[in-house]
Amino acid sequence: MDYRDTPEEAEFRLSLRAWLKDNTIEGWRDLTEVADVRKLRKEWHRKLYAAGYMGLNWPVEYGGQGLSPIYDAILNDEAGKADTPPLPGMVNYLGRAIFTYGSEEQKKRFLPTLLNGEIQWCQGFSEPSAGSDLASLRTRAVREGDEYVVNGQKMWTSGAIHADWCLLLVRTDTSVAKHKGISCLLTPLEVPGVTVRPIVLHSGEPETAEVFFDDVRIPAENRIGEEGAGWKIAMTTVSYERGAADVGFISKLRRTITELEDAARERNLLGDQGIRRKLARAYVDCEALNWNVARQLSMRISGRAPGPEGSVGKLLWSRAAQGTMHAALDIFGADALTGAREEWLSDYFTSRPVSVYGGSSQIQKNILARMLDMPKG
């Protein structure tokens, strides 16, 4: 594969770059109130949609543009460079779950508002005792006539405090193997029995949430796929979390490494061999992630569904993000710890849970070990 832009891709990139320069919402990082952030996310989503930048890789019949995943990668790359508000990344992987497994009626009902930002979504997968071991989830859904009655708790549900609906994994059968007793319900969050409780992290911001379900009644017609097909749907969703979206993280990491190089120069630390090694390691890890993502995109363009290479990318992302922040703490030292440059300490803590997003590093290594037919320890 030639990793350079084609003339059409280069034209798209330049047009997008100009649009982002004129339309990125100024001062978005200063917003902290939940209502303000929710308004911002929705406004940004709808601006991107109106400009034709949402659903680039969706099939045309579902409102997308049917373009190559490369265009999504360019969108993420340029947004990362321009330091825009976060892109609504869930559109691609939740949309993939709905248009792959949903009924025609569900596609007509849910896909347009997912794409245009009118309805905001979150993903209800992890639980207090089922994070990395997702198949052990306990949130129970019991069929009563034309409804499911849901009871349980979800944890670390990113975006739940801003979401209207949730792609929810529930256990509908306890008599079969745990992977086979899971189903997937499209669940409104503003119904009786649902409680969304923000989780305030180190930054002081409620970046994620726990969601409680207490006798919540969900119409059976909201189930996507067959009963018991939830594991397959979840794996499809998780596999498409990786790939084009990673390009945005790479842009941000490159920008951060450049900032750290400048800071090290200003503090006369570029002669410190330890600092030099950590900056070099961060740069190499970031570029290794870049080429892994390029390879993933190349295979996706050739028609291959996401496979275990996504686990390699996830491990590389964790290593690059955390290694970069280790270098930051070494460079800023006491200033990061005592408040003079507290943003770097906050960014360091933000990098720590990267290794559990979308499946922990241990889970990713287990997947790769199985693919390599390695013996169990």
Side-chain angles (χ1 to χ4, degrees):
M1 178 181 177
D2 186 344
Y3 294 117
R4 295 171 297 184
D5 289 344
T6 65
E8 294 78 13
E9 291 162 358
E11 182 179 352
F12 174 82
R13 183 186 293 276
L14 288 175
S15 174
L16 168 63
R17 188 175 295 169
W19 186 88
L20 291 173
K21 183 179 179 181
D22 293 338
N23 290 277
T24 294
I25 299 169
E26 293 185 7
W28 66 272
R29 288 188 181 277
D30 298 329
L31 300 177
T32 56
E33 296 296 325
V34 171
D36 293 337
V37 174
R38 182 186 176 97
K39 181 180 178 183
L40 164 80
R41 290 165 65 107
K42 199 159 190 173
E43 180 185 353
W44 181 232
H45 189 152
R46 302 198 77 158
K47 286 184 77 167
L48 288 162
Y49 172 76
Y53 292 121
M54 296 307 302
L56 295 171
N57 188 226
W58 277 31
V60 174
E61 60 266 38
Y62 301 134
Q65 300 188 36
L67 296 172
S68 152
I70 288 294
Y71 287 84
D72 264 332
I74 293 172
L75 172 62
N76 280 274
D77 185 30
E78 292 299 324
K81 290 176 180 173
D83 194 24
T84 71
L87 295 174
M90 87 294 292
V91 169
N92 277 346
Y93 57 82
L94 296 188
R96 178 76 55 176
I98 295 174
F99 65 66
T100 301
Y101 299 102
S103 66
E104 286 305 312
E105 185 177 339
Q106 289 170 336
K107 294 171 188 174
K108 290 176 183 175
R109 179 181 175 189
F110 293 109
L111 289 177
T113 52
L114 168 62
L115 190 60
N116 67 22
E118 183 179 334
I119 302 295
Q120 297 291 304
W121 285 76
C122 64
Q123 173 183 302
F125 284 14
S126 296
E127 298 184 3
S129 300
S132 297
D133 184 13
L134 184 60
S136 295
L137 64 88
R138 297 179 178 178
T139 295
R140 189 84 165 89
V142 177
R143 182 76 179 257
E144 290 187 3
D146 294 332
E147 295 178 318
Y148 285 98
V149 181
V150 180
N151 284 282
Q153 177 191 357
K154 294 295 173 179
M155 192 79 174
W156 309 119
T157 309
S158 299
I161 60 173
H162 307 297
D164 306 292
W165 282 70
C166 179
L167 184 78
L168 181 68
L169 289 184
V170 294
R171 185 163 300 285
T172 49
D173 191 343
T174 58
S175 66
V176 297
K178 59 184 183 180
H179 292 78
K180 297 180 179 178
I182 298 171
S183 299
C184 187
L185 301 179
L186 303 174
T187 303
L189 293 181
E190 294 186 0
V191 294
V194 175
T195 302
V196 179
R197 185 179 299 168
I199 299 174
V200 178
L201 301 182
H202 61 279
S203 62
E205 304 299 327
E207 298 175 16
T208 186
E210 51 187 345
V211 186
F212 298 88
F213 299 86
D214 184 12
D215 286 334
V216 178
R217 305 189 80 86
I218 304 299
E221 65 186 19
N222 283 16
R223 188 194 69 230
I224 60 171
E226 297 297 320
E227 194 167 275
W231 182 255
K232 182 169 64 174
I233 295 169
M235 292 302 99
T236 298
T237 304
V238 171
S239 65
Y240 277 93
E241 280 188 71
R242 305 265 65 80
D246 290 338
V247 177
F249 296 119
I250 295 167
S251 297
K252 292 174 185 173
L253 275 175
R254 284 172 168 163
R255 197 174 66 238
T256 299
I257 292 169
T258 299
E259 288 179 32
L260 292 176
E261 289 172 346
D262 292 341
R265 186 175 298 107
E266 291 171 3
R267 292 167 177 250
N268 295 318
L269 292 172
L270 286 183
D272 184 313
Q273 291 301 311
I275 297 290
R276 292 177 68 87
R277 276 196 295 272
K278 286 198 173 181
L279 283 173
R281 183 77 258 173
Y283 176 84
V284 169
D285 288 343
C286 184
E287 293 310 305
L289 173 62
N290 178 51
W291 292 115
N292 171 272
V293 170
R295 186 166 184 268
Q296 288 186 58
L297 290 172
S298 175
M299 289 191 289
R300 198 172 296 181
I301 290 168
S302 67
R304 275 191 52 179
E309 66 279 355
S311 294
V312 176
K314 177 59 179 38
L315 291 169
L316 288 170
W317 175 32
S318 300
R319 181 180 172 120
Q322 294 176 352
T324 299
M325 286 302 114
H326 276 294
L329 286 194
D330 282 1
I331 291 169
F332 289 103
D335 284 349
L337 301 174
T338 59
R341 298 301 302 268
E342 61 183 358
E343 70 274 19
W344 290 101
L345 183 61
S346 177
D347 288 347
Y348 168 79
F349 284 125
T350 299
S351 75
R352 301 312 300 163
V354 169
S355 51
V356 298
Y357 293 161
S360 69
S361 293
Q362 289 78 12
I363 291 293
Q364 308 302 335
K365 290 175 181 176
N366 281 342
I367 291 171
L368 294 172
R370 284 198 297 271
M371 293 301 300
L372 295 171
D373 201 22
M374 296 175 69
K376 293 183 179 179

